[in-house]
Amino acid sequence: MVSVFAPVTPAIVPDNVAFTSSFSDNRDTVPAEDLLHGILNISLTGYALYQPVYGASGKEVRDFTFVLLNPKARQILSLPDLPTQTYLELYPHTLETGVFAFHCHVFASGQPERFSVNYQGDGLDNYFHLSAQRVGDLLLVNFTDTAEQSRTAVEQALRQSQAREHLARAEAEAQRNRLHHLFMQAPAMITIFEGPQHVFKLVNPLYQELVGDRPLLGKPIREAMPELADQPIFDLLDYVYQTGETFRATEMQVQLDHDNTGKRGQRFYNFIYQASRNLAEEIDGILVFAYDVTEQVQARQRAEASEQQLAYTNEELAATNEELAATNEELLTANFEILTNNSELEQRVAARTREAQQAQAEAERQRGRLEQLFMQAPAGICILGGPELVFELVNPVYQQLFPGRDLLGKPVLEALPEIADHAVYNTFRWVYNTGQTHQELGMLIPLNHPDDGRLQDRYFNYIQQPRLDENSRIDGVVVFAYEVTDLEQARRKLEQSEVAFRTLANAISNLVWTTTPSGEADYYNEQWYSFTGSSPQEVLGQGWTTYFHPHDLLLMLRQWHEALAQGTPYQVEARLRRADGAYRWFLVRAVAMHDDQGHILRWFGTNTDIHEQKEMAEALQLATRKLAASNKELRTANEQAKQANRQLELTNEQLTRINDDLDNFVYTASHDLQQPVHNMAGVFDELKRTATFHDPEAEQLMHMFEDALGQIQSTIQGLAQVVQAERQTQGLPTEVVELLPLTQSVLQSMRSQITEQQAQVELDFAAVPQLLFGRLNLQSILYNLLSNALKYAHPDRPPTVLVSTRLTAGGSPILLVQDNGLGMDLSRFGPELFKMFRRFHDHVPGSGLGLYLVNRIVQQAGGHVEVSSSPDAGTTFRLHFPSSLLPTRNFF
């Protein structure tokens, strides 16, 4: 045998050791060192000699090194040789059991002491008796164990109890780990609070996502989530902790700073606060189970339906009741035997019994809490066991999904035979065979109606997750399901409404856009893309700021953020870049749509082109600045202007009186002259009938006189018409005039002429079906233009006339009358086209007042007339009216 002893001085042999006289006589022949070696080699107990290792201060012992181990010590400690590691490196469990503290205490006191311990750790499992004493600068320890001694029935029962306790604790620990794994993998938000301050003890990943990378574990909720201070969450947690009553919230709004930017979100949650208790049934924390239902709430608010999305997973606690019960029986037997043995072992067995019972109770409590959590969860949960996928657990919410059906104890295909050929059953098999989780949102599953058995389309959100046994083998599938049929129907209605809105937005001339409640643009109409020359890929999700003038952005963004924060209407003027790079001024406006609670659902915005108005305003501002710079001169000019104005007022009054007098004179003269002219015509007719002229030129003179008389009559009638038209124009009220029936009425008055000339008239008022106008004035315009189109028709072809309306890019209406008649040379006659009594064709009778009246009526309405014509090709009249003559159109 290899010696493991270090050199030992005789000083380690105590002076108070007694020797016989014969040994005393032979001390010289038996060296003390040889004697000590012999004693240690044959000793039936272990001896160890340790040298202390001091800390930085040089006073505190922080470890020991091995100086000597006798053979029995190496056998007890299962050490082949003197170890090079330190004492604590080999036996760290001595810190927990008090053995290391015993060594340090004996070394410090210098007095011999004893210590007994049931040591189970570091590869050792025995009951040890230790005796120690300081010898110089070293520590000598003598120890023995009970490994080679026969064990009493009590000790054997204790060992068996300890083994079963370890097994129960290991199983309980495995169950806790499985429960922890379940919580961390669950598709729902789970956290556990500890103590009255609600300190985060467990936070699963989905719960952590509520606040991003903000640290939660180990912090009270008031410190970790201070933004909840003005919300009811803290009070609810305090209430549950104080009373033990479970609290359930449905669609409660909780405002958290999700991005840690200082801005609180607007989200809704379903959650449960359930008190947790220790072994003494005292409340020591709160379990939280929650999931986000924001999308569901918003969808119901927008489409009068409901939507919620819940995902959650589970792993069943393994049943340990039988083993723990068996352990309890053995402990009771051991307890009976202990009653007849020593009291120390009796106390130890009783303590182990209590610990085993506590472990059993803890396992039962955890299983009960998990089952209670499942049965009270606001989601449909079931567990399908075995390859036949038999319903082992069905919570009330899941059972309500299938009213009138018995599910528990039945294979899934027996309970729900209609899913045999559906994808949902295939994924059940796939999850069971592969161990991979599967999730579906809005899955259509036709199911038999409980009343008549007919297949009914139903939609579900669900998660299928494998369940593992204690050996990590798949033994079932856990299902979390929620019916979303109403939500899907509401979503379809919402999509139809969205399509209708976009169709309407694309039909108007304004640039239309919408954003989310937080201000992120999610829609632009076609006019936006056409104006900016952009595409959805370039704009959506990247912002609109690059399309506005950089000088306008600061004001735009500041007011936009204020509107988002307060929910107030947004309005600003800014320059928007056109596809060709030019900027135009727009009035940008947006209003928020709110739900019944006042929460913003969406922003609707329009951009209206105000470039011309803006330029006029800027020109006015420039003029104002110039006027301010020459204020002194303007004061003088102002006085002069006042005098001139007074003179102009007098002149205007005189002109008005003169015009009125002229109108009265013309009207009176035309009226008064009609009778004399009529008399002259009568006399002339009588003269032609009764008189006889012998001069050969008399007949020609008679014709000339008759023509002159006709011109006088025509002129007098024309003057009367002009005056009457002026007076009518000034006094006629405006009204909404339907163009189609009015034009048809005018054409009806010309029916004989249209039929005679075989004319074709086409009407198209789709672009502008109505105008705000005096009905008689609009009738006069149509009559004069249509009668001219028929009157001056080309002799080689039947007349074709188009009467239609157009809308300019700026939103102004145009009335168009186009014919294929004689046409005219505008280079010659254009400047005189609208003069009174001016005619350009004399082969048909006319007064030359029609175009004059048309132009005068259009100008008085704020418009103008544009003419294009070519000889022998026809003429087109375009009557431009201001946009104010368009009736207000309600698009909603």
Side-chain angles (χ1 to χ4, degrees):
M1 178 181 293
V2 179
S3 174
V4 296
F5 296 106
V8 180
T9 64
I12 68 172
V13 180
D15 294 334
N16 59 356
V17 175
F19 297 97
T20 63
S21 59
S22 60
F23 178 78
S24 299
D25 296 338
N26 294 291
R27 288 185 68 170
D28 295 336
T29 61
V30 182
E33 183 175 349
D34 292 343
L35 177 62
L36 180 60
H37 274 271
I39 293 173
L40 294 177
N41 279 332
I42 65 174
S43 174
L44 297 179
T45 60
Y47 281 92
L49 191 63
Y50 303 124
Q51 182 173 359
V53 177
Y54 294 96
S57 64
K59 297 180 180 180
E60 179 185 0
V61 176
R62 62 178 180 85
D63 205 345
F64 291 97
T65 58
F66 292 89
V67 176
L68 178 149
L69 286 175
N70 76 331
K72 186 61 177 179
R74 287 185 284 114
Q75 176 188 348
I76 294 172
L77 300 177
S78 300
L79 294 174
D81 205 342
L82 188 69
T84 58
Q85 300 98 315
T86 66
Y87 181 81
L88 287 180
E89 288 175 347
L90 286 176
Y91 305 111
H93 192 56
T94 57
L95 291 171
E96 181 180 346
T97 56
V99 177
F100 180 77
F102 165 72
H103 289 349
C104 293
H105 172 72
V106 171
F107 185 83
S109 68
Q111 300 298 319
E113 293 190 28
R114 292 184 177 183
F115 187 75
S116 298
V117 62
N118 182 27
Y119 197 88
Q120 294 175 318
D122 306 324
L124 303 176
D125 186 10
N126 276 306
Y127 195 83
F128 289 85
H129 297 286
L130 297 91
S131 177
Q133 180 175 348
R134 178 173 178 168
V135 287
D137 293 332
L138 303 177
L139 179 67
L140 179 64
V141 180
N142 173 243
F143 57 90
T144 183
D145 68 350
T146 61
E148 296 179 352
Q149 301 176 12
S150 59
R151 300 185 187 275
T152 65
V154 173
E155 290 178 314
Q156 292 177 355
L158 178 60
R159 291 292 172 185
Q160 293 173 357
S161 173
Q162 290 173 341
R164 294 193 178 277
E165 179 196 346
H166 281 299
L167 181 61
R169 288 187 178 276
E171 181 62 26
E173 182 64 24
Q175 292 175 2
R176 281 193 292 270
N177 290 337
R178 292 170 68 183
L179 183 61
H180 182 273
H181 178 75
L182 168 67
F183 285 169
M184 300 307 286
Q185 296 297 322
M189 293 169 283
I190 298 177
T191 189
I192 296 177
F193 292 115
E194 186 175 54
Q197 299 302 316
H198 317 304
V199 177
F200 283 100
K201 182 180 180 182
L202 179 145
V203 177
N204 80 337
L206 283 184
Y207 193 96
Q208 181 65 55
E209 288 179 5
L210 287 175
V211 292
D213 57 359
R214 191 194 312 180
L216 298 179
L217 283 174
K219 290 187 175 184
I221 188 172
R222 286 180 169 84
E223 176 186 345
M225 296 179 172
E227 63 267 36
L228 296 175
D230 59 349
Q231 302 176 56
I233 300 301
F234 297 158
D235 293 338
L236 290 174
L237 289 171
D238 291 341
Y239 176 81
V240 173
Y241 190 87
Q242 293 167 6
T243 65
E245 296 182 11
T246 299
F247 176 79
R248 296 175 178 82
T250 301
E251 297 180 358
M252 177 181 285
Q253 184 181 36
V254 181
Q255 298 176 326
L256 285 169
D257 183 3
H258 302 288
D259 303 323
N260 300 314
T261 58
K263 182 178 179 181
R264 297 196 296 187
Q266 306 284 338
R267 297 187 186 176
F268 297 84
Y269 303 90
N270 288 359
F271 58 87
I272 295 176
Y273 289 166
Q274 181 175 319
S276 61
R277 301 176 184 271
N278 57 22
L279 295 178
E281 288 303 314
E282 298 170 339
I283 298 174
D284 62 356
I286 296 175
L287 173 66
V288 180
F289 176 98
Y291 57 95
D292 192 325
V293 294
T294 303
E295 181 181 356
Q296 161 198 337
V297 173
Q298 292 178 345
R300 187 191 64 248
Q301 292 168 341
R302 295 174 62 182
E304 297 181 356
S306 64
E307 173 186 18
Q308 66 178 356
Q309 179 178 356
L310 173 68
Y312 184 69
T313 187
N314 171 47
E315 187 173 355
E316 188 181 40
L317 287 171
T320 58
N321 287 341
E322 294 182 2
E323 294 183 10
L324 292 174
T327 301
N328 195 32
E329 290 294 329
E330 294 174 359
L331 290 175
L332 291 174
T333 302
N335 189 44
F336 177 76
E337 296 177 357
I338 288 172
L339 292 176
T340 60
N341 288 281
N342 63 75
S343 60
E344 179 183 356
L345 288 180
E346 179 179 349
Q347 294 174 357
R348 288 169 54 202
V349 172
R352 292 297 182 187
T353 301
R354 288 192 301 272
E355 291 174 359
Q357 291 173 340
Q358 289 174 354
Q360 179 183 1
E362 175 65 14
E364 286 286 349
R365 189 168 67 90
Q366 290 184 11
R367 185 174 63 183
R369 287 174 60 187
L370 182 59
E371 183 174 354
Q372 183 184 23
L373 177 65
F374 282 175
M375 299 306 287
Q376 294 181 352
I381 302 176
C382 75
I383 298 177
L384 305 174
E388 296 299 320
L389 302 176
V390 177
F391 282 101
E392 294 182 358
L393 180 144
V394 176
N395 77 340
V397 176
Y398 193 92
Q399 180 64 61
Q400 290 174 6
L401 297 177
F402 306 99
R405 300 203 195 195
D406 294 329
L407 301 180
L408 277 176
K410 291 184 178 181
V412 66
L413 283 185
E414 180 181 343
L416 305 172
E418 58 267 43
I419 71 169
D421 298 325
H422 194 277
V424 65
Y425 180 70
N426 295 333
T427 55
F428 273 134
R429 305 303 316 171
W430 182 79
V431 171
Y432 185 86
N433 293 329
T434 65
Q436 299 186 40
T437 298
H438 182 76
Q439 181 176 359
E440 289 287 352
L441 299 177
M443 170 66 79
L444 171 62
I445 305 177
L447 294 170
N448 292 335
H449 194 278
D451 295 333
D452 54 21
R454 291 185 296 104
L455 285 177
Q456 180 184 21
D457 287 345
R458 297 172 66 183
Y459 295 84
F460 294 87
N461 292 350
Y462 61 84
I463 292 178
Q464 301 164 330
Q465 182 166 327
R467 184 186 68 176
L468 306 179
D469 61 14
E470 62 275 4
N471 297 318
S472 297
R473 292 175 299 189
I474 300 171
D475 67 349
V477 177
V478 183
V479 181
F480 296 81
Y482 190 81
E483 184 170 2
V484 293
T485 300
D486 292 341
L487 173 61
E488 286 298 321
Q489 294 173 349
R491 180 173 294 166
R492 292 183 180 182
K493 292 181 181 178
L494 188 60
E495 290 175 353
Q496 293 173 356
S497 299
E498 188 73 13
V499 170
F501 163 72
R502 297 192 177 195
T503 301
L504 179 62
N506 290 330
I508 64 177
S509 59
N510 285 20
L511 279 56
V512 180
W513 47 272
T514 64
T515 77
T516 63
S518 60
E520 298 175 0
D522 56 9
Y523 169 74
Y524 295 95
N525 70 341
E526 294 177 358
Q527 282 77 356
W528 168 277
Y529 296 119
S530 176
F531 182 87
T532 60
S534 60
S535 66
Q537 293 75 16
E538 294 172 332
V539 180
L540 294 177
Q542 300 181 15
W544 41 262
T545 56
T546 57
Y547 294 91
F548 284 93
H549 199 287
H551 293 169
D552 303 332
L553 276 180
L554 183 61
L555 176 63
M556 290 187 71
L557 292 174
R558 184 174 68 248
Q559 294 190 6
W560 179 234
H561 291 154
E562 290 176 358
L564 290 176
Q566 301 173 10
T568 55
Y570 172 67
Q571 179 169 315
V572 69
E573 295 178 358
R575 286 162 287 184
L576 181 63
R577 189 176 69 246
R578 200 165 53 191
D580 60 4
Y583 284 93
R584 289 187 64 85
W585 281 99
F586 277 82
L587 176 62
V588 184
R589 290 180 290 190
V591 294
M593 183 176 72
H594 299 80
D595 60 15
D596 295 338
Q597 287 74 39
H599 302 130
I600 295 176
L601 300 176
R602 203 174 189 186
W603 286 87
F604 292 86
T606 60
N607 294 2
T608 305
D609 193 326
I610 58 168
H611 193 75
E612 283 73 18
Q613 296 92 315
K614 194 70 177 180
E615 285 184 337
M616 292 177 61
E618 291 177 352
L620 181 60
Q621 290 177 357
L622 179 61
T624 302
R625 288 194 296 269
K626 290 181 178 179
L627 288 173
S630 57
N631 192 34
K632 184 177 180 179
E633 297 177 3
L634 286 176
R635 280 196 295 268
T636 302
N638 189 36
E639 290 298 325
Q640 297 173 352
K642 287 181 179 179
Q643 295 177 2
N645 284 338
R646 285 194 291 270
Q647 186 63 39
L648 286 174
E649 288 176 358
L650 293 174
T651 303
N652 285 336
E653 290 177 359
Q654 293 175 357
L655 290 175
T656 300
R657 287 195 299 271
I658 291 171
N659 284 335
D660 290 341
D661 292 342
L662 286 174
D663 286 344
N664 291 330
F665 170 77
V666 171
Y667 185 77
T668 303
S670 61
H671 183 271
D672 293 344
L673 287 174
Q674 284 181 8
Q675 187 61 39
V677 171
H678 181 71
N679 293 338
M680 287 176 62
V683 171
F684 183 71
D685 288 340
E686 182 65 24
L687 181 63
K688 287 195 302 180
R689 185 178 63 83
T690 60
T692 300
F693 300 94
H694 302 285
D695 189 343
E697 294 181 357
E699 185 175 356
Q700 182 179 358
L701 292 173
M702 294 290 288
H703 285 300
M704 292 175 60
F705 184 82
E706 186 176 16
D707 290 342
L709 187 61
Q711 290 179 2
I712 292 173
Q713 287 180 323
S714 177
T715 300
I716 291 173
Q717 291 175 356
L719 289 172
Q721 289 177 6
V722 169
V723 174
Q724 186 176 6
E726 290 285 347
R727 292 180 175 179
Q728 288 180 348
T729 300
Q730 295 174 0
L732 283 178
T734 59
E735 58 180 299
V736 177
V737 180
E738 295 282 349
L739 291 175
L740 180 59
L742 180 64
T743 308
Q744 290 173 337
S745 175
V746 172
L747 291 174
Q748 183 66 28
S749 67
M750 303 177 181
R751 175 167 297 278
S752 60
Q753 188 177 357
I754 293 173
T755 303
E756 180 183 348
Q757 295 182 252
Q758 297 181 348
Q760 297 291 328
V761 182
E762 181 182 351
L763 306 180
D764 180 9
F765 300 113
V768 182
Q770 301 172 333
L771 283 177
L772 278 173
F773 218 88
R775 178 178 296 275
L776 291 179
N777 287 339
L778 196 54
Q779 178 177 302
S780 177
I781 290 173
L782 290 168
Y783 179 83
N784 280 293
L785 293 178
L786 288 171
S787 63
N788 281 352
L790 297 176
K791 186 185 301 182
Y792 302 112
H794 198 284
D796 298 335
R797 53 180 176 261
T800 300
V801 184
L802 170 64
V803 185
S804 62
T805 54
R806 302 284 188 272
L807 201 61
T808 67
S812 299
I814 298 175
L815 177 61
L816 182 146
V817 179
Q818 180 179 4
D819 64 54
N820 64 340
L822 292 172
M824 67 185 77
D825 186 356
L826 293 179
S827 62
R828 290 180 55 195
F829 306 121
E832 300 180 353
L833 190 61
F834 299 112
K835 288 186 177 180
M836 189 183 301
F837 303 121
R838 189 68 174 89
R839 300 182 69 236
F840 308 103
H841 299 285
D842 55 6
H843 65 283
V844 292
S847 63
L849 292 174
L851 292 181
Y852 169 81
L853 291 174
V854 169
N855 185 55
R856 190 65 181 269
I857 293 172
V858 172
Q859 286 182 340
Q860 288 180 346
H864 67 277
V865 181
E866 176 187 354
V867 183
S868 59
S869 183
S870 298
D872 296 327
T875 303
T876 301
F877 289 89
R878 293 179 178 84
L879 281 61
H880 293 259
F881 295 105
S883 59
S884 59
L885 298 186
L886 287 173
T888 302
R889 301 168 70 182
N890 187 5
F891 290 98
F892 297 93

